[in-house]
Amino acid sequence: MNFRKVVKKFIPTGLFQKIEPFGHMVEAIMWNALYGFPSRKFKVIGVTGTNGKTTTSYLIHRMLHESGYKVGLMSTVGYGVGANITPQMHHMTNVSVPEMMKRLRQMKREGAEWLVLETTSHALAQNRVWGVPYSIVVFTNITQEHLAYHKTFERYIAAKRKMFEMANRNKKGLRIGIVNAEDAQATAFTSAIENPLTYGVKAGDYRATDVELKADGVAYKTRIGDHEFNIRCRLPGSFNVYNSMAVVGVGNAIGLSVEQIEKGIYALEGVEGRMTQIDEGQQFDVIVDYAHTPDSFEKLFRDLQPVVKGKLIVLFGSLGGGDVGKRSQQGRLAGEYADIVVLTEEDNRMESPQQILDNIAEGVLAAGKTRDKDLFMIDKRPDAIKFAFNKAEAGDLVLLLGKGHEKTIEDADGEHPWDEIGTAREALRDRSSAS
């Protein structure tokens, strides 16, 4: 047990949350000084938001890499420089300050000059990214999430906005903020930066037109000033129109050409655990996605339900110790859109697995589903995945949600190795050999 966990054990939760940011700031200052303030050696592009952070970060990184820039990446899924990206094994987006310092130092040794830094509200609220000289910042969206930690939606917004305020204080940076104009909280972010640039489909300084949503990606046109873009993004889903639009804004702010932006966005074939399609020769479709919020559920279901030829089968759980209020919302959305709902573990941590499933099931039942008919509760995720596949027939779509790229699954006795994509492939092969 580390020192932080020992302290947390003896200090009331409310008091600990008040003093924790100061402890992290002291730690950040100390480690930055020891490592020579390594983040100052980079031009930093920060990306924050409830959903879309990782995909947007990967798209920006790939665009800069394809354009010949030496660029590093730190995200939920992986970190590294250029094409050399290492999978993220930690169960968090922004690692501890000493680990971050080590990675920044190594990136500089590898010649990186730019850094794309996916940044969470926790890292911002706790001062774990203290000293990072953000130059360009991106806000994708904000919806109900992490309220178990932030307590109120207003504090959650304030934590995200902090990245824009940090960028605005960086006199050596570009002080440019790329903001989703269609988010209800957009003005909280545009007002915090000297040079805001907004995007959207229905609103924004630049807008997507002639939007095409296809099984293999999205396409649209947009214009910033005199520059016209014909964007093709190989990541499906209407949400990737918005994610890639943010990337257009970043490329334009840096000064990339139209061709560099178009080619850079098209170059990214996928992000692990983000709309990852699994094909082992089965007659139904399987997609693994990290979606784990009501907002991401609704967007995903809304896009996919109309194109599914057969049944839509959805498997998911919810984080133990997390926002209890969102569970019934997730359940209701799954119950409304899916034909079959399979509830299972996500990361139970110290919470009762059955309690989590019951919380979700309230929403599923309210949407009209019936236990053991089109609502099933199976605690162990590998068993639930096999069950969902056995329910699938030709033309169906099975969605495995909530874990995505993550390499561990956590319960009361700690973290255990996990591979959602690998587990799905193995289950499909076993099913095929048994038939």
Side-chain angles (χ1 to χ4, degrees):
M1 183 176 289
N2 62 31
F3 178 73
R4 179 177 178 275
K5 289 184 177 179
V6 171
V7 172
K8 191 173 183 180
K9 186 176 181 181
F10 292 100
I11 296 179
T13 301
L15 177 60
F16 182 82
Q17 287 189 346
K18 289 180 179 179
I19 65 175
E20 183 184 33
F22 298 101
H24 279 295
M25 178 175 282
V26 171
E27 181 184 45
I29 293 171
M30 180 186 73
W31 284 105
N32 267 279
L34 287 172
Y35 277 83
F37 297 90
S39 64
R40 293 180 181 176
K41 300 176 175 67
F42 298 90
K43 298 170 185 175
V44 183
I45 301 169
V47 182
T48 199
T50 304
N51 301 308
K53 295 188 300 294
T54 300
T55 298
T56 302
S57 296
Y58 263 77
L59 281 165
I60 294 170
H61 173 263
R62 187 57 180 269
M63 175 180 67
L64 290 176
H65 174 65
E66 293 292 323
S67 300
Y69 287 71
K70 291 291 288 183
V71 56
L73 171 69
M74 285 191 183
S75 80
T76 304
V77 174
Y79 64 95
V81 176
N84 184 25
I85 302 299
T86 301
Q88 168 73 292
M89 302 305 293
H90 295 285
H91 213 63
M92 61 199 309
T93 298
N94 298 113
V95 294
S96 66
V97 176
E99 180 65 23
M100 181 180 177
M101 295 299 106
K102 291 178 184 177
R103 292 182 182 182
L104 288 173
R105 184 173 64 179
Q106 181 58 36
M107 287 181 182
K108 196 60 191 176
R109 286 174 177 171
E110 293 179 33
E113 296 175 350
W114 288 78
L115 172 66
V116 181
L117 181 60
E118 181 181 349
T119 308
T120 66
S121 60
H122 284 70
L124 288 159
Q126 295 170 3
N127 296 311
R128 286 191 280 122
V129 288
W130 177 89
V132 173
Y134 293 103
S135 181
I136 300 173
V137 284
V138 177
F139 167 70
T140 59
N141 52 65
I142 191 164
T143 60
Q144 180 175 315
E145 179 71 340
H146 302 307
L147 298 191
Y149 176 80
H150 294 291
K151 305 304 181 185
T152 68
F153 191 50
E154 289 71 26
R155 290 176 64 179
Y156 182 36
I157 295 168
K160 295 280 190 191
R161 176 188 160 100
K162 190 173 180 180
M163 187 179 75
F164 277 64
E165 295 168 343
M166 291 171 69
N168 209 45
R169 291 195 298 267
N170 179 15
K171 295 180 180 179
K172 295 182 179 179
L174 294 174
R175 299 190 198 181
I176 294 175
I178 312 297
V179 176
N180 180 352
E182 295 178 24
D183 190 274
Q185 306 302 325
T187 55
F189 296 86
T190 56
S191 63
I193 194 80
E194 185 174 319
N195 301 299
L197 181 66
T198 61
Y199 65 90
V201 175
K202 299 177 182 178
D205 296 323
Y206 62 105
R207 306 181 187 189
T209 61
D210 301 325
V211 176
E212 297 180 39
L213 304 179
K214 302 178 180 179
D216 59 351
V218 300
Y220 59 89
K221 296 178 181 178
T222 191
R223 171 192 286 270
I224 301 179
D226 295 329
H227 298 146
E228 294 185 9
F229 303 87
N230 288 289
I231 300 299
R232 291 180 62 203
C233 176
R234 290 195 277 179
L235 309 176
S238 62
F239 40 87
N240 281 317
V241 173
Y242 291 87
N243 292 337
S244 58
M245 283 198 77
V247 181
V248 173
V250 171
N252 184 77
I254 292 171
L256 299 186
S257 69
V258 170
E259 183 180 14
Q260 286 175 317
I261 293 170
E262 290 175 347
K263 286 187 175 181
I265 291 173
Y266 183 76
L268 186 67
E269 296 181 25
V271 179
E272 182 186 2
R274 271 51 175 189
M275 294 296 287
T276 302
Q277 299 187 40
I278 310 297
D279 186 358
E280 290 292 330
Q282 75 277 4
Q283 292 185 309
F284 53 89
D285 294 320
V286 177
I287 292 177
V288 172
D289 193 79
Y290 189 55
H292 60 281
T293 67
D295 180 66
S296 60
F297 268 32
E298 184 163 24
K299 289 176 180 174
L300 185 63
F301 297 156
R302 192 172 58 217
D303 282 352
L304 293 177
Q305 188 194 50
V307 300
V308 178
K309 297 177 182 177
K311 301 187 300 295
L312 176 60
I313 302 172
V314 178
L315 177 150
F316 67 99
S318 194
L319 180 67
D323 182 6
V324 176
K326 77 173 187 178
R327 293 174 184 170
S328 62
Q329 294 180 48
Q330 290 174 289
R332 176 183 58 78
L333 288 165
E336 290 175 355
Y337 282 94
D339 297 290
I340 295 175
V341 178
V342 181
L343 303 182
T344 187
E345 63 180 328
E346 184 177 305
D347 290 289
N348 294 327
R349 295 180 175 173
M350 300 300 294
E351 193 171 350
S352 161
Q354 191 59 51
Q355 181 63 58
I356 296 172
L357 299 186
D358 286 342
N359 289 156
I360 305 171
E362 289 178 10
V364 183
L365 294 169
K369 293 292 187 283
T370 303
R371 289 180 188 265
D372 300 324
K373 178 185 176 184
D374 43 23
L375 166 61
F376 303 91
M377 300 164 70
I378 302 171
D379 180 41
K380 295 302 178 183
R381 200 168 180 101
D383 296 336
I385 290 173
K386 291 178 182 177
F387 180 87
F389 289 166
N390 286 334
K391 284 288 182 181
E393 301 171 323
D396 292 351
L397 169 60
V398 180
L399 288 177
L400 308 180
L401 304 179
K403 292 300 292 179
H405 66 285
E406 292 182 338
K407 303 305 179 189
T408 61
I409 193 164
E410 188 176 357
D411 56 27
D413 64 354
E415 293 186 354
H416 304 274
W418 180 252
D419 178 358
E420 186 97 331
I421 294 171
T423 301
R425 291 193 183 281
E426 183 179 356
L428 288 170
R429 288 194 290 264
D430 289 347
R431 184 177 184 276
S432 178
S433 62
S435 60

PDB file of all heavy atoms in Angstrom, residues 317-325 327-328 343-345 348 350-363 371 377 379:
ATOM      1  N   GLY A 317     -21.519  -2.967 -18.659  1.00  0.00           N
ATOM      2  CA  GLY A 317     -21.653  -2.892 -17.209  1.00  0.00           C
ATOM      3  C   GLY A 317     -21.484  -1.444 -16.794  1.00  0.00           C
ATOM      4  O   GLY A 317     -21.709  -0.532 -17.588  1.00  0.00           O
ATOM      5  N   SER A 318     -21.042  -1.217 -15.560  1.00  0.00           N
ATOM      6  CA  SER A 318     -20.789   0.146 -15.106  1.00  0.00           C
ATOM      7  C   SER A 318     -19.743   0.108 -14.004  1.00  0.00           C
ATOM      8  O   SER A 318     -19.634  -0.879 -13.261  1.00  0.00           O
ATOM      9  CB  SER A 318     -22.078   0.801 -14.595  1.00  0.00           C
ATOM     10  OG  SER A 318     -21.902   2.197 -14.453  1.00  0.00           O
ATOM     11  N   LEU A 319     -18.990   1.184 -13.898  1.00  0.00           N
ATOM     12  CA  LEU A 319     -17.850   1.253 -12.989  1.00  0.00           C
ATOM     13  C   LEU A 319     -18.277   1.234 -11.532  1.00  0.00           C
ATOM     14  O   LEU A 319     -19.121   2.020 -11.105  1.00  0.00           O
ATOM     15  CB  LEU A 319     -17.066   2.539 -13.272  1.00  0.00           C
ATOM     16  CG  LEU A 319     -15.823   2.820 -12.428  1.00  0.00           C
ATOM     17  CD1 LEU A 319     -14.746   1.797 -12.726  1.00  0.00           C
ATOM     18  CD2 LEU A 319     -15.315   4.229 -12.710  1.00  0.00           C
ATOM     19  N   GLY A 320     -17.690   0.341 -10.754  1.00  0.00           N
ATOM     20  CA  GLY A 320     -17.944   0.302  -9.328  1.00  0.00           C
ATOM     21  C   GLY A 320     -17.357   1.532  -8.647  1.00  0.00           C
ATOM     22  O   GLY A 320     -16.255   1.958  -8.968  1.00  0.00           O
ATOM     23  N   GLY A 321     -18.105   2.107  -7.720  1.00  0.00           N
ATOM     24  CA  GLY A 321     -17.639   3.297  -7.039  1.00  0.00           C
ATOM     25  C   GLY A 321     -17.778   4.561  -7.858  1.00  0.00           C
ATOM     26  O   GLY A 321     -17.341   5.634  -7.436  1.00  0.00           O
ATOM     27  N   GLY A 322     -18.368   4.449  -9.031  1.00  0.00           N
ATOM     28  CA  GLY A 322     -18.532   5.594  -9.921  1.00  0.00           C
ATOM     29  C   GLY A 322     -19.878   6.265  -9.725  1.00  0.00           C
ATOM     30  O   GLY A 322     -20.525   6.134  -8.682  1.00  0.00           O
ATOM     31  N   ASP A 323     -20.302   6.981 -10.740  1.00  0.00           N
ATOM     32  CA  ASP A 323     -21.547   7.748 -10.695  1.00  0.00           C
ATOM     33  C   ASP A 323     -22.738   6.795 -10.782  1.00  0.00           C
ATOM     34  O   ASP A 323     -23.068   6.282 -11.849  1.00  0.00           O
ATOM     35  CB  ASP A 323     -21.552   8.752 -11.855  1.00  0.00           C
ATOM     36  CG  ASP A 323     -22.806   9.624 -11.861  1.00  0.00           C
ATOM     37  OD1 ASP A 323     -23.598   9.521 -10.906  1.00  0.00           O
ATOM     38  OD2 ASP A 323     -22.976  10.397 -12.817  1.00  0.00           O
ATOM     39  N   VAL A 324     -23.391   6.574  -9.645  1.00  0.00           N
ATOM     40  CA  VAL A 324     -24.528   5.642  -9.594  1.00  0.00           C
ATOM     41  C   VAL A 324     -25.682   6.151 -10.446  1.00  0.00           C
ATOM     42  O   VAL A 324     -26.397   5.374 -11.084  1.00  0.00           O
ATOM     43  CB  VAL A 324     -24.979   5.434  -8.131  1.00  0.00           C
ATOM     44  CG1 VAL A 324     -26.212   4.540  -8.074  1.00  0.00           C
ATOM     45  CG2 VAL A 324     -23.848   4.818  -7.311  1.00  0.00           C
ATOM     46  N   GLY A 325     -25.851   7.465 -10.508  1.00  0.00           N
ATOM     47  CA  GLY A 325     -26.979   8.045 -11.215  1.00  0.00           C
ATOM     48  C   GLY A 325     -27.026   7.747 -12.695  1.00  0.00           C
ATOM     49  O   GLY A 325     -28.108   7.709 -13.293  1.00  0.00           O
ATOM     50  N   ARG A 327     -26.231   4.955 -14.155  1.00  0.00           N
ATOM     51  CA  ARG A 327     -26.452   3.535 -14.470  1.00  0.00           C
ATOM     52  C   ARG A 327     -27.838   3.279 -15.036  1.00  0.00           C
ATOM     53  O   ARG A 327     -27.981   2.596 -16.062  1.00  0.00           O
ATOM     54  CB  ARG A 327     -26.214   2.683 -13.213  1.00  0.00           C
ATOM     55  CG  ARG A 327     -24.763   2.692 -12.753  1.00  0.00           C
ATOM     56  CD  ARG A 327     -24.580   1.964 -11.439  1.00  0.00           C
ATOM     57  NE  ARG A 327     -23.193   2.064 -10.981  1.00  0.00           N
ATOM     58  CZ  ARG A 327     -22.776   1.701  -9.777  1.00  0.00           C
ATOM     59  NH1 ARG A 327     -23.646   1.183  -8.901  1.00  0.00           N
ATOM     60  NH2 ARG A 327     -21.502   1.837  -9.436  1.00  0.00           N
ATOM     61  N   SER A 328     -28.855   3.802 -14.387  1.00  0.00           N
ATOM     62  CA  SER A 328     -30.209   3.584 -14.905  1.00  0.00           C
ATOM     63  C   SER A 328     -30.410   4.288 -16.245  1.00  0.00           C
ATOM     64  O   SER A 328     -31.184   3.817 -17.091  1.00  0.00           O
ATOM     65  CB  SER A 328     -31.249   4.071 -13.890  1.00  0.00           C
ATOM     66  OG  SER A 328     -31.114   5.463 -13.656  1.00  0.00           O
ATOM     67  N   LEU A 343     -26.209  -7.601 -19.287  1.00  0.00           N
ATOM     68  CA  LEU A 343     -25.484  -6.820 -18.278  1.00  0.00           C
ATOM     69  C   LEU A 343     -24.413  -7.678 -17.621  1.00  0.00           C
ATOM     70  O   LEU A 343     -24.655  -8.839 -17.284  1.00  0.00           O
ATOM     71  CB  LEU A 343     -26.453  -6.300 -17.213  1.00  0.00           C
ATOM     72  CG  LEU A 343     -27.615  -5.443 -17.730  1.00  0.00           C
ATOM     73  CD1 LEU A 343     -28.458  -4.952 -16.556  1.00  0.00           C
ATOM     74  CD2 LEU A 343     -27.107  -4.272 -18.558  1.00  0.00           C
ATOM     75  N   THR A 344     -23.235  -7.084 -17.414  1.00  0.00           N
ATOM     76  CA  THR A 344     -22.120  -7.831 -16.859  1.00  0.00           C
ATOM     77  C   THR A 344     -21.173  -6.897 -16.124  1.00  0.00           C
ATOM     78  O   THR A 344     -21.441  -5.697 -15.984  1.00  0.00           O
ATOM     79  CB  THR A 344     -21.392  -8.609 -17.972  1.00  0.00           C
ATOM     80  OG1 THR A 344     -20.408  -9.472 -17.388  1.00  0.00           O
ATOM     81  CG2 THR A 344     -20.716  -7.656 -18.955  1.00  0.00           C
ATOM     82  N   GLU A 345     -20.056  -7.418 -15.666  1.00  0.00           N
ATOM     83  CA  GLU A 345     -19.078  -6.606 -14.953  1.00  0.00           C
ATOM     84  C   GLU A 345     -18.341  -5.670 -15.908  1.00  0.00           C
ATOM     85  O   GLU A 345     -18.154  -5.970 -17.080  1.00  0.00           O
ATOM     86  CB  GLU A 345     -18.056  -7.509 -14.251  1.00  0.00           C
ATOM     87  CG  GLU A 345     -17.238  -8.360 -15.226  1.00  0.00           C
ATOM     88  CD  GLU A 345     -16.222  -9.246 -14.536  1.00  0.00           C
ATOM     89  OE1 GLU A 345     -15.702  -8.852 -13.477  1.00  0.00           O
ATOM     90  OE2 GLU A 345     -15.945 -10.341 -15.070  1.00  0.00           O
ATOM     91  N   ASN A 348     -15.853  -3.754 -11.157  1.00  0.00           N
ATOM     92  CA  ASN A 348     -16.683  -3.691  -9.958  1.00  0.00           C
ATOM     93  C   ASN A 348     -15.975  -3.004  -8.791  1.00  0.00           C
ATOM     94  O   ASN A 348     -16.612  -2.414  -7.931  1.00  0.00           O
ATOM     95  CB  ASN A 348     -17.100  -5.098  -9.531  1.00  0.00           C
ATOM     96  CG  ASN A 348     -18.021  -5.756 -10.539  1.00  0.00           C
ATOM     97  OD1 ASN A 348     -18.821  -5.092 -11.193  1.00  0.00           O
ATOM     98  ND2 ASN A 348     -17.903  -7.065 -10.689  1.00  0.00           N
ATOM     99  N   MET A 350     -14.672  -2.280  -5.368  1.00  0.00           N
ATOM    100  CA  MET A 350     -15.101  -2.746  -4.052  1.00  0.00           C
ATOM    101  C   MET A 350     -16.626  -2.831  -3.914  1.00  0.00           C
ATOM    102  O   MET A 350     -17.136  -3.193  -2.865  1.00  0.00           O
ATOM    103  CB  MET A 350     -14.547  -1.806  -2.963  1.00  0.00           C
ATOM    104  CG  MET A 350     -13.035  -1.722  -2.934  1.00  0.00           C
ATOM    105  SD  MET A 350     -12.248  -3.339  -2.634  1.00  0.00           S
ATOM    106  CE  MET A 350     -12.786  -3.661  -0.959  1.00  0.00           C
ATOM    107  N   GLU A 351     -17.345  -2.492  -4.968  1.00  0.00           N
ATOM    108  CA  GLU A 351     -18.805  -2.476  -4.893  1.00  0.00           C
ATOM    109  C   GLU A 351     -19.405  -3.837  -5.235  1.00  0.00           C
ATOM    110  O   GLU A 351     -18.826  -4.608  -6.014  1.00  0.00           O
ATOM    111  CB  GLU A 351     -19.359  -1.404  -5.838  1.00  0.00           C
ATOM    112  CG  GLU A 351     -20.828  -1.106  -5.608  1.00  0.00           C
ATOM    113  CD  GLU A 351     -21.304   0.110  -6.388  1.00  0.00           C
ATOM    114  OE1 GLU A 351     -20.458   0.839  -6.949  1.00  0.00           O
ATOM    115  OE2 GLU A 351     -22.526   0.336  -6.433  1.00  0.00           O
ATOM    116  N   SER A 352     -20.552  -4.125  -4.688  1.00  0.00           N
ATOM    117  CA  SER A 352     -21.244  -5.381  -4.958  1.00  0.00           C
ATOM    118  C   SER A 352     -21.588  -5.502  -6.438  1.00  0.00           C
ATOM    119  O   SER A 352     -22.290  -4.633  -6.982  1.00  0.00           O
ATOM    120  CB  SER A 352     -22.530  -5.451  -4.132  1.00  0.00           C
ATOM    121  OG  SER A 352     -23.421  -6.406  -4.667  1.00  0.00           O
ATOM    122  N   PRO A 353     -21.126  -6.546  -7.112  1.00  0.00           N
ATOM    123  CA  PRO A 353     -21.450  -6.727  -8.540  1.00  0.00           C
ATOM    124  C   PRO A 353     -22.953  -6.752  -8.791  1.00  0.00           C
ATOM    125  O   PRO A 353     -23.436  -6.155  -9.757  1.00  0.00           O
ATOM    126  CB  PRO A 353     -20.804  -8.078  -8.884  1.00  0.00           C
ATOM    127  CG  PRO A 353     -19.714  -8.253  -7.879  1.00  0.00           C
ATOM    128  CD  PRO A 353     -20.229  -7.613  -6.627  1.00  0.00           C
ATOM    129  N   GLN A 354     -23.696  -7.425  -7.914  1.00  0.00           N
ATOM    130  CA  GLN A 354     -25.143  -7.527  -8.108  1.00  0.00           C
ATOM    131  C   GLN A 354     -25.808  -6.170  -7.961  1.00  0.00           C
ATOM    132  O   GLN A 354     -26.768  -5.851  -8.673  1.00  0.00           O
ATOM    133  CB  GLN A 354     -25.740  -8.521  -7.113  1.00  0.00           C
ATOM    134  CG  GLN A 354     -27.185  -8.881  -7.404  1.00  0.00           C
ATOM    135  CD  GLN A 354     -27.360  -9.506  -8.787  1.00  0.00           C
ATOM    136  OE1 GLN A 354     -26.652 -10.450  -9.146  1.00  0.00           O
ATOM    137  NE2 GLN A 354     -28.299  -8.993  -9.575  1.00  0.00           N
ATOM    138  N   GLN A 355     -25.309  -5.335  -7.052  1.00  0.00           N
ATOM    139  CA  GLN A 355     -25.886  -4.010  -6.851  1.00  0.00           C
ATOM    140  C   GLN A 355     -25.733  -3.162  -8.110  1.00  0.00           C
ATOM    141  O   GLN A 355     -26.647  -2.456  -8.518  1.00  0.00           O
ATOM    142  CB  GLN A 355     -25.216  -3.307  -5.669  1.00  0.00           C
ATOM    143  CG  GLN A 355     -25.781  -1.919  -5.369  1.00  0.00           C
ATOM    144  CD  GLN A 355     -27.241  -1.969  -4.976  1.00  0.00           C
ATOM    145  OE1 GLN A 355     -27.614  -2.645  -4.005  1.00  0.00           O
ATOM    146  NE2 GLN A 355     -28.101  -1.275  -5.714  1.00  0.00           N
ATOM    147  N   ILE A 356     -24.562  -3.243  -8.729  1.00  0.00           N
ATOM    148  CA  ILE A 356     -24.316  -2.490  -9.963  1.00  0.00           C
ATOM    149  C   ILE A 356     -25.274  -2.936 -11.058  1.00  0.00           C
ATOM    150  O   ILE A 356     -25.913  -2.117 -11.729  1.00  0.00           O
ATOM    151  CB  ILE A 356     -22.854  -2.663 -10.429  1.00  0.00           C
ATOM    152  CG1 ILE A 356     -21.890  -2.074  -9.388  1.00  0.00           C
ATOM    153  CG2 ILE A 356     -22.638  -2.002 -11.794  1.00  0.00           C
ATOM    154  CD1 ILE A 356     -20.437  -2.375  -9.679  1.00  0.00           C
ATOM    155  N   LEU A 357     -25.399  -4.255 -11.228  1.00  0.00           N
ATOM    156  CA  LEU A 357     -26.281  -4.785 -12.270  1.00  0.00           C
ATOM    157  C   LEU A 357     -27.742  -4.421 -11.999  1.00  0.00           C
ATOM    158  O   LEU A 357     -28.489  -4.088 -12.919  1.00  0.00           O
ATOM    159  CB  LEU A 357     -26.122  -6.301 -12.375  1.00  0.00           C
ATOM    160  CG  LEU A 357     -24.733  -6.831 -12.752  1.00  0.00           C
ATOM    161  CD1 LEU A 357     -24.784  -8.341 -12.958  1.00  0.00           C
ATOM    162  CD2 LEU A 357     -24.203  -6.153 -13.996  1.00  0.00           C
ATOM    163  N   ASP A 358     -28.141  -4.457 -10.721  1.00  0.00           N
ATOM    164  CA  ASP A 358     -29.516  -4.094 -10.374  1.00  0.00           C
ATOM    165  C   ASP A 358     -29.786  -2.624 -10.690  1.00  0.00           C
ATOM    166  O   ASP A 358     -30.879  -2.271 -11.169  1.00  0.00           O
ATOM    167  CB  ASP A 358     -29.777  -4.361  -8.892  1.00  0.00           C
ATOM    168  CG  ASP A 358     -29.909  -5.849  -8.573  1.00  0.00           C
ATOM    169  OD1 ASP A 358     -30.134  -6.634  -9.509  1.00  0.00           O
ATOM    170  OD2 ASP A 358     -29.773  -6.209  -7.391  1.00  0.00           O
ATOM    171  N   ASN A 359     -28.809  -1.756 -10.414  1.00  0.00           N
ATOM    172  CA  ASN A 359     -28.960  -0.324 -10.717  1.00  0.00           C
ATOM    173  C   ASN A 359     -29.191  -0.108 -12.209  1.00  0.00           C
ATOM    174  O   ASN A 359     -30.060   0.675 -12.604  1.00  0.00           O
ATOM    175  CB  ASN A 359     -27.722   0.451 -10.294  1.00  0.00           C
ATOM    176  CG  ASN A 359     -27.547   0.573  -8.796  1.00  0.00           C
ATOM    177  OD1 ASN A 359     -26.442   0.760  -8.308  1.00  0.00           O
ATOM    178  ND2 ASN A 359     -28.625   0.468  -8.032  1.00  0.00           N
ATOM    179  N   ILE A 360     -28.411  -0.794 -13.033  1.00  0.00           N
ATOM    180  CA  ILE A 360     -28.556  -0.659 -14.488  1.00  0.00           C
ATOM    181  C   ILE A 360     -29.893  -1.244 -14.938  1.00  0.00           C
ATOM    182  O   ILE A 360     -30.603  -0.662 -15.767  1.00  0.00           O
ATOM    183  CB  ILE A 360     -27.405  -1.357 -15.236  1.00  0.00           C
ATOM    184  CG1 ILE A 360     -26.045  -0.853 -14.764  1.00  0.00           C
ATOM    185  CG2 ILE A 360     -27.539  -1.141 -16.751  1.00  0.00           C
ATOM    186  CD1 ILE A 360     -24.872  -1.659 -15.301  1.00  0.00           C
ATOM    187  N   ALA A 361     -30.224  -2.396 -14.363  1.00  0.00           N
ATOM    188  CA  ALA A 361     -31.437  -3.111 -14.773  1.00  0.00           C
ATOM    189  C   ALA A 361     -32.701  -2.281 -14.543  1.00  0.00           C
ATOM    190  O   ALA A 361     -33.689  -2.427 -15.278  1.00  0.00           O
ATOM    191  CB  ALA A 361     -31.544  -4.446 -14.033  1.00  0.00           C
ATOM    192  N   GLU A 362     -32.694  -1.397 -13.554  1.00  0.00           N
ATOM    193  CA  GLU A 362     -33.861  -0.538 -13.316  1.00  0.00           C
ATOM    194  C   GLU A 362     -34.236   0.231 -14.580  1.00  0.00           C
ATOM    195  O   GLU A 362     -35.417   0.327 -14.935  1.00  0.00           O
ATOM    196  CB  GLU A 362     -33.555   0.448 -12.180  1.00  0.00           C
ATOM    197  CG  GLU A 362     -33.483  -0.177 -10.807  1.00  0.00           C
ATOM    198  CD  GLU A 362     -33.129   0.841  -9.733  1.00  0.00           C
ATOM    199  OE1 GLU A 362     -33.134   2.061 -10.048  1.00  0.00           O
ATOM    200  OE2 GLU A 362     -32.848   0.443  -8.594  1.00  0.00           O
ATOM    201  N   GLY A 363     -33.230   0.772 -15.252  1.00  0.00           N
ATOM    202  CA  GLY A 363     -33.480   1.519 -16.482  1.00  0.00           C
ATOM    203  C   GLY A 363     -33.906   0.629 -17.630  1.00  0.00           C
ATOM    204  O   GLY A 363     -34.769   0.993 -18.438  1.00  0.00           O
ATOM    205  N   ARG A 371     -36.768  -9.618 -17.735  1.00  0.00           N
ATOM    206  CA  ARG A 371     -35.668 -10.486 -17.310  1.00  0.00           C
ATOM    207  C   ARG A 371     -35.799 -11.877 -17.928  1.00  0.00           C
ATOM    208  O   ARG A 371     -36.886 -12.444 -18.009  1.00  0.00           O
ATOM    209  CB  ARG A 371     -35.642 -10.624 -15.785  1.00  0.00           C
ATOM    210  CG  ARG A 371     -35.192  -9.370 -15.046  1.00  0.00           C
ATOM    211  CD  ARG A 371     -35.211  -9.638 -13.547  1.00  0.00           C
ATOM    212  NE  ARG A 371     -34.982  -8.446 -12.769  1.00  0.00           N
ATOM    213  CZ  ARG A 371     -33.795  -8.053 -12.301  1.00  0.00           C
ATOM    214  NH1 ARG A 371     -32.731  -8.796 -12.548  1.00  0.00           N
ATOM    215  NH2 ARG A 371     -33.677  -6.947 -11.594  1.00  0.00           N
ATOM    216  N   MET A 377     -28.574 -10.983 -17.009  1.00  0.00           N
ATOM    217  CA  MET A 377     -27.542 -10.482 -16.108  1.00  0.00           C
ATOM    218  C   MET A 377     -26.557 -11.604 -15.813  1.00  0.00           C
ATOM    219  O   MET A 377     -26.904 -12.603 -15.184  1.00  0.00           O
ATOM    220  CB  MET A 377     -28.192  -9.950 -14.829  1.00  0.00           C
ATOM    221  CG  MET A 377     -29.165  -8.806 -15.106  1.00  0.00           C
ATOM    222  SD  MET A 377     -30.290  -8.433 -13.738  1.00  0.00           S
ATOM    223  CE  MET A 377     -29.172  -7.730 -12.545  1.00  0.00           C
ATOM    224  N   ASP A 379     -22.669 -12.140 -14.405  1.00  0.00           N
ATOM    225  CA  ASP A 379     -21.627 -11.414 -13.674  1.00  0.00           C
ATOM    226  C   ASP A 379     -20.272 -11.427 -14.379  1.00  0.00           C
ATOM    227  O   ASP A 379     -19.646 -10.379 -14.571  1.00  0.00           O
ATOM    228  CB  ASP A 379     -21.491 -11.994 -12.262  1.00  0.00           C
ATOM    229  CG  ASP A 379     -20.422 -11.261 -11.462  1.00  0.00           C
ATOM    230  OD1 ASP A 379     -20.351 -10.020 -11.562  1.00  0.00           O
ATOM    231  OD2 ASP A 379     -19.654 -11.924 -10.754  1.00  0.00           O
TER     232      ASP A 379
END
